[in-house]
Amino acid sequence: MKIAVFLPELLRHLFKKPATVDYPFKKLEVPKDFRGTPYLNPQMCIVCRACERDCPAEAIEISSVNEADKRFKMIIHNDRCIHCAQCIDSCPTTPKAMLMDSLFEIADDDRHKMKKDWIYVRAVLKPKAAAPASAPQAAEPKA
Amino acid sequence: MSFQIPIGPQHPALKEPISLRMTVEGEVITGVDIRLGYNHRGLEKLAEDRNWIQNIYLTERICGICSHSHATCYVQGVERLMELAPPRRGLYIRYLIAELERIHSHLLWLGVAGHEAGFDSFFMYTWRDREVVMDLLEMISGNRVHYAINTIGGVRRDLDAGQIAKIQEGIVTLRKRSEYYFYIGANEPSFVARIAGVGYLSKENAVALCAVGPVARASGVARDVRKDDPWAVYDEVDFEVATADSCDVLGRVVVRVKELLESYKICEQLLKSLPAGDIAVKAPRKAKPGEVVSRYEAPRGENIHYIKANGTDKPERLKVRAPTLANYPATVEMLRKGFIADIPLIFAAIDPCICCAERTVTLIAAGSGEESVVRMSDLRRRAIARHQNAPVKRNAVWPL
Amino acid sequence: MAALRTLLYLVVYPGLIFLFVYSTFCEWFDRKVYARLQNRMGPTHTGRFGLLQPIADFVKLLAKEDVVPEAADKRLFKVLPIIGLAVVSTAGLLLPVWNFDLAAPGFTSFSGDIIVVLYLLSLPTLILFLAAWSSANPFSTIGGARVLTMLFGYEVPLFLAVLGPAILADSWRLAEIAAFYQAKPLLLLTNLLGFIVAVIAVQAKLERTPFDIPHAETEIVGGTFTEYSGKKLALFRLTFDIEMVVSSGLLAAVFLGGFPGGAVVGFLHFVVKTLFVIFLLSLLRALTSRIRVDQVVSFAWKFLAPLAVLQLLVTILLKGLLS
């Protein structure tokens, strides 16, 4: 029976730097392609509603503001979002209209403040075009 | 003099709520009564309202530690229903993540076993090394828990050469540390005194009570779905089923560490022979009517999903049988004749994932204490009838 | 004037305020060493280097709601933490730091005070059992039974080990024992076995891993402390901290040569030697896992007690050789 097998390892750690990071005074870097919060690039969106249909948490809400001007409103409910990035995978445009950033410190004490919405005009893509053809009268995202 | 002590639903030894009522005499346990249901979320009903893609994320959230195993078991079944054949590269990546998840789950379990035994230094060290696996998974999939790498028809993200190199480096570090933990776990006298001879489950009982996973393998029953019923990549990689003969908690520790070492072998083989090509095929939105049973070897044992489709884009029925549910009768047998001091260790040794196992419900009449088991279809009828007749409560609608 | 001096001894140094401040410092030291051994940081942000963390914990507990269960024996339940604190603080007064005069025995240093200190340090165990008994809770009952079972294990080896150096020094007075070893430091090495036994037995008395069965968090919730909350729990935790300081002071006085040199130098000796003993206790805490209560008793009687008896034999032989 060996006594104190753990001892050399323990004593070695007295002189090593701690493995824990002093968050929030020092932060760790997140890797590339980290799934943070989704946001819209309104100029590419063709309002196919694939993201709304496939979101598991019903976090995307698309409603019509003005049919004649083709203005649509999209609200992303960040309090309901589960950060799965399925909306980005379902988005059919190239380059994608739904994008993911690396923000993860989005906590708030009121869930209604965590929404982001956009009012924009629906983009009309010419076949095999890389840029939208209609007037990009996209308003700034209202946070 | 016998009296009952309640372990749970709230107890520091349990990570999740479950009620174990122990009848004890002195320090010896004479009887156990397990009551489930504190973590029931109605997942099987929720799955019927969501389409095939949304259900991937729902099944993933049945559990946090074995999230990929539930998602993969479901996706395997749906791919069979839709008659899809995912490309080789997609399958390799999917099962590479599965093995990485097994590694992370077993390291987590080693730490928890140390903590339940009071061996906090071991707990801190194994969890520090688990961070290596978590960082690898974050690099590959974008999230440390709930990797969501599956999609119907393959996987969503690809691996590049830099990531492959990092994974191989990580595995080398982890292998060295795991061998050290094997040495400590088997040799530290106070730890071994706690876990040797505790929670005895003989081989006959393990087979009779349908134990699955490392619990059965530690009693000498070499049952592993990856070997019994190999699918996808498992008949192309070379590994062994880890068993032990001591039938106690020490055996379960040994089996899990041996499985860690086997997982490192599997990961290295998968990375070396990763085929080139696509990572997914396009999946239809609707599935043809049919039913499928999908099995998978989760870190805790055999996971079974039954899916029934009726031609629409939503499943008609999803039934989940998680491995921990199969291990509960074996737990009752192990706890009998044990000491109170051993309860947390015996219970932790089955690697309980209680939220996975919340599927059966027994109704107890509050007035008379009488128990009855009710069929799901009857429960559904009763619930719909009650909702149709009840008035809407004033503040029942959440102002979303 | 003498009355004022006594009052200062009792309240400020080495009485309540000094024991409070020093025991919180020792708890910080223990937590920091334990954390560094496990590759973590320990308390970092409350005060510089986290020094104020134990005091912050104490103040937080004082501010919490204090619940007395319906079925508990109320008077006993309420009075026990205060008795515990009083007992260990009294034991602290008897340490030979500088409140003694070697030639003239007084209240703080008299012949037989080593026995009084050991007795006063055994009382907290009985108080813990009464606390468990008076809170009518199945977890507390099991915790109380375990406390007494452990007492059968470690008490005898501790007494035997601590009395060994006293036999060699031919006195039952802590100050005289310390002075004897200060005059002949080499004789300290003959007590090494007793020191090891005493450190392990003190770890059991303080109910730290590997002997923290009575309040094993993962098994019986809080053990004896399950029903205590708020001010009473704060006083119990302070009792344990002060017990740690007093026990390590006792071990330092008997095995490490006491605290010579008057007021300032003696105080420095006290700090260094007690921190050394506490470092050993923290190392032991990080090294092992918890063992079962029946294993404690069998370990104590199979290993600790024979080693302590062996140490006594060696001491007696040496005494015969020296005289």
Side-chain angles (χ1 to χ4, degrees):
Chain A
M1 184 182 76
K2 307 183 179 70
I3 313 180
V5 276
F6 216 2
L7 194 57
E9 183 84 7
L10 275 182
L11 287 175
R12 210 156 45 91
H13 279 96
L14 259 185
F15 305 105
K16 272 206 224 172
K17 228 164 64 74
T20 43
V21 170
D22 202 1
Y23 187 88
F25 304 105
K26 294 195 183 53
K27 303 204 185 185
L28 283 174
E29 287 294 319
V30 290
K32 183 172 79 81
D33 298 332
F34 178 75
R35 279 186 267 141
T37 39
Y39 66 98
L40 181 71
N41 181 2
Q43 302 178 338
M44 302 305 309
C45 180
I46 56 171
V47 198
C48 64
R49 296 183 187 243
C51 51
E52 187 186 19
R53 203 175 42 207
D54 278 342
C55 176
E58 296 179 20
I60 301 180
E61 209 181 298
I62 298 179
S63 51
S64 156
V65 173
N66 190 326
E67 274 287 352
D69 288 346
K70 294 189 191 150
R71 280 180 169 277
F72 286 81
K73 176 172 175 183
M74 172 198 268
I75 306 179
I76 297 185
H77 293 271
N78 275 321
D79 52 336
R80 290 188 223 165
C81 171
I82 60 174
H83 308 281
C84 65
Q86 180 61 41
C87 44
I88 294 158
D89 284 349
S90 302
C91 182
T93 60
T94 318
K96 296 215 182 243
M98 280 302 277
L99 300 160
M100 203 74 163
D101 65 14
S102 306
L103 290 178
F104 59 95
E105 292 159 321
I106 55 173
D108 203 325
D109 29 6
D110 183 358
R111 68 186 301 177
H112 304 295
K113 289 204 198 116
M114 288 169 68
K115 297 194 282 208
K116 274 203 167 147
D117 58 56
W118 289 263
I119 297 187
Y120 56 90
V121 173
R122 180 171 132 168
V124 173
L125 291 178
K126 285 209 190 95
K128 292 213 195 96
S134 90
Q137 284 156 354
E140 274 83 41
K142 293 202 185 66
Chain B
M1 181 212 70
S2 77
F3 69 130
Q4 276 205 337
I5 48 170
I7 304 281
Q10 315 291 346
H11 194 272
L14 307 169
K15 304 286 169 283
E16 291 153 294
I18 182 178
S19 175
L20 303 166
R21 309 246 183 100
M22 313 260 170
T23 318
V24 295
E25 291 194 10
E27 283 252 346
V28 178
I29 305 171
T30 50
V32 182
D33 183 14
I34 297 190
R35 280 155 200 263
L36 311 175
Y38 292 93
N39 236 347
H40 185 77
R41 292 158 289 171
L43 280 163
E44 296 181 356
K45 171 96 171 102
L46 286 174
E48 295 174 11
D49 280 336
R50 284 160 172 68
N51 63 31
W52 298 107
I53 295 186
Q54 289 173 329
N55 270 331
I56 305 176
Y57 303 102
L58 185 70
T59 46
E60 201 181 39
R61 277 154 180 78
I62 294 180
C63 174
I65 308 176
C66 38
S67 58
H68 183 84
S69 61
H70 282 289
T72 306
C73 200
Y74 169 78
V75 164
Q76 270 170 205
V78 176
E79 282 171 357
R80 195 60 186 269
L81 274 177
M82 293 180 177
E83 286 157 20
L84 293 173
R88 307 286 309 148
R89 189 180 174 90
L91 285 177
Y92 267 61
I93 297 178
R94 181 189 284 175
Y95 292 101
L96 173 72
I97 303 276
E99 292 304 317
L100 284 176
E101 181 191 57
R102 195 183 311 272
I103 294 171
H104 125 75
S105 172
H106 285 326
L107 280 175
L108 183 148
W109 182 83
L110 274 179
V112 168
H115 178 64
E116 304 282 2
F119 200 1
D120 274 339
S121 308
F122 192 60
F123 166 54
M124 301 289 174
Y125 283 4
T126 40
W127 279 45
R128 177 199 59 189
D129 292 325
R130 187 176 151 248
E131 292 296 312
V132 174
V133 175
M134 306 288 268
D135 286 342
L136 284 176
L137 283 165
E138 191 184 23
M139 175 186 75
I140 301 174
S141 67
N143 204 346
R144 282 155 57 102
V145 187
H146 294 315
Y147 325 119
I149 196 125
N150 278 327
T151 187
I152 306 187
V155 296
R156 300 203 296 170
R157 288 188 184 213
D158 203 352
L159 290 177
D160 62 22
Q163 287 172 335
I164 295 180
K166 280 219 186 81
I167 302 175
Q168 284 166 333
E169 259 175 53
I171 292 182
V172 168
T173 317
L174 281 171
R175 180 182 268 144
K176 210 164 48 134
R177 302 298 306 171
S178 305
E179 287 171 356
Y180 181 65
Y181 296 137
F182 200 5
Y183 171 67
I184 292 282
N187 280 312
E188 167 63 39
S190 52
F191 191 53
V192 171
R194 277 312 290 277
I195 61 179
V198 160
Y200 185 75
L201 184 72
S202 65
K203 190 166 174 176
E204 296 77 37
N205 271 338
V207 174
L209 295 169
C210 307
V212 292
V215 176
R217 292 200 273 277
S219 299
V221 179
R223 203 180 267 173
D224 185 333
V225 182
R226 295 176 290 171
K227 275 283 192 220
D228 297 339
D229 199 358
W231 71 97
V233 306
Y234 282 115
D235 39 13
E236 296 169 24
V237 288
D238 174 36
F239 68 102
E240 281 160 24
V241 176
T243 56
D245 283 319
S246 52
C247 308
D248 58 6
V249 177
L250 181 60
R252 288 166 208 141
V253 172
V254 166
V255 163
R256 287 188 174 98
V257 179
K258 277 199 208 166
E259 278 186 10
L260 268 180
L261 299 171
E262 294 297 322
S263 285
Y264 298 141
K265 245 182 6 184
I266 298 179
C267 283
E268 282 176 348
Q269 287 173 41
L270 287 175
L271 282 172
K272 212 160 34 147
S273 50
L274 189 64
D278 281 335
I279 51 175
V281 294
K282 190 120 173 56
R285 290 214 72 99
K286 300 197 172 132
K288 298 198 202 57
E291 53 186 22
V292 67
V293 172
S294 165
R295 298 166 79 191
Y296 180 87
E297 181 74 15
R300 282 159 185 75
E302 179 187 3
N303 195 1
I304 303 181
H305 281 225
Y306 163 79
I307 310 168
K308 183 164 173 200
N310 58 1
T312 59
D313 62 344
K314 298 183 162 66
E316 176 162 335
R317 177 84 173 97
L318 168 70
K319 164 106 185 103
V320 175
R321 204 273 345 236
T324 309
L325 192 60
N327 279 332
Y328 280 148
T331 314
V332 173
E333 179 59 32
M334 284 190 261
L335 280 169
R336 208 166 282 159
K337 293 203 212 68
F339 287 111
I340 295 182
D342 294 328
I343 295 176
L345 269 176
I346 298 176
F347 197 65
I350 66 167
D351 207 353
C353 188
I354 294 165
C355 50
C356 277
E358 292 294 347
R359 299 281 105 78
T360 51
V361 176
T362 306
L363 294 181
I364 302 182
S368 57
E370 173 189 302
E371 300 184 0
S372 59
V373 179
V374 181
R375 272 210 299 261
M376 178 66 124
S377 41
D378 291 337
L379 274 179
R380 181 176 305 176
R381 251 185 308 112
R382 280 200 224 176
I384 293 175
R386 186 195 160 114
H387 269 279
Q388 277 168 352
N389 297 334
V392 177
K393 288 196 274 236
R394 185 68 61 85
N395 48 1
V397 179
W398 182 272
L400 283 172
Chain C
M1 193 54 216
L4 188 63
R5 202 151 177 247
T6 315
L7 196 63
L8 268 167
Y9 276 156
L10 282 178
V11 176
V12 179
Y13 177 84
L16 288 172
I17 295 185
F18 166 69
L19 277 176
F20 175 70
V21 172
Y22 191 61
S23 69
T24 45
F25 173 70
C26 286
E27 186 187 339
W28 170 85
F29 182 74
D30 168 47
R31 281 165 74 163
K32 213 53 179 170
V33 167
Y34 187 59
R36 283 300 157 114
L37 286 171
Q38 292 175 341
N39 209 198
R40 323 177 262 131
M41 277 198 252
T44 316
H45 288 296
T46 9
R48 184 110 189 147
F49 302 121
L51 277 168
L52 295 180
Q53 182 68 43
I55 302 184
D57 288 338
F58 183 75
V59 169
K60 173 206 81 165
L61 274 176
L62 283 180
K64 296 252 177 191
E65 184 188 0
D66 204 340
V67 179
V68 178
E70 269 290 315
D73 184 343
K74 291 190 187 17
R75 250 186 296 171
L76 203 56
F77 191 82
K78 288 182 193 172
V79 97
L80 281 172
I82 307 176
I83 298 184
L85 192 59
V87 161
V88 285
S89 309
T90 314
L93 284 177
L94 294 173
L95 288 177
V97 185
W98 54 262
N99 48 348
F100 67 95
D101 186 355
L102 199 57
F107 272 116
T108 54
S109 171
F110 50 89
S111 180
D113 65 358
I114 191 173
I115 309 286
V116 175
V117 170
L118 282 171
Y119 166 71
L120 285 174
L121 284 178
S122 306
L123 277 184
T125 318
L126 185 61
I127 289 175
L128 275 182
F129 170 70
L130 284 176
W133 191 254
S134 64
S135 38
N137 183 329
F139 293 126
S140 309
T141 315
I142 300 179
R146 287 178 175 184
V147 162
L148 283 186
T149 314
M150 276 213 332
L151 189 68
F152 290 137
Y154 66 79
E155 199 68 0
V156 170
L158 179 65
F159 272 60
L160 287 177
V162 171
L163 294 178
I167 293 180
L168 195 58
D170 211 8
S171 153
W172 295 119
R173 194 178 155 194
L174 273 172
E176 279 175 17
I177 299 174
F180 175 81
Y181 284 106
Q182 282 153 25
K184 302 191 183 124
L186 280 177
L187 285 178
L188 283 175
L189 292 172
T190 61
N191 290 323
L192 201 56
L193 193 57
F195 183 51
I196 296 176
V197 171
V199 165
I200 300 179
V202 162
Q203 183 86 334
K205 179 185 281 300
L206 294 170
E207 290 178 18
R208 291 148 59 97
T209 323
F211 307 109
D212 67 344
I213 306 132
H215 62 265
E217 174 201 79
T218 53
E219 295 168 22
I220 45 177
V221 191
T224 46
F225 297 135
T226 314
E227 294 288 349
Y228 280 89
S229 57
K231 295 189 262 302
K232 303 188 184 66
L233 186 61
L235 289 179
F236 258 130
R237 290 188 49 161
L238 187 62
T239 307
F240 267 86
D241 282 341
I242 297 182
E243 197 183 354
M244 179 164 77
V245 169
V246 173
S247 316
S248 48
L250 174 70
L251 288 185
V254 172
F255 288 105
L256 295 177
F259 321 114
V264 178
V265 179
F267 181 65
L268 281 174
H269 270 268
F270 178 67
V271 169
V272 169
K273 288 179 182 173
T274 46
L275 285 183
F276 174 66
V277 175
I278 292 178
F279 175 76
L280 287 178
L281 292 176
S282 299
L283 195 60
L284 192 52
R285 187 173 161 213
L287 189 61
T288 49
S289 79
R290 192 184 304 135
I291 55 182
R292 272 206 311 259
V293 72
D294 54 309
Q295 289 169 342
V296 170
V297 176
S298 75
F299 170 71
W301 284 103
K302 276 195 229 171
F303 293 99
L304 286 185
L307 285 177
V309 170
L310 185 64
Q311 168 70 58
L312 263 183
L313 281 176
V314 166
T315 308
I316 296 176
L317 278 175
L318 203 58
K319 186 155 178 207
L321 279 176
L322 281 179
S323 61

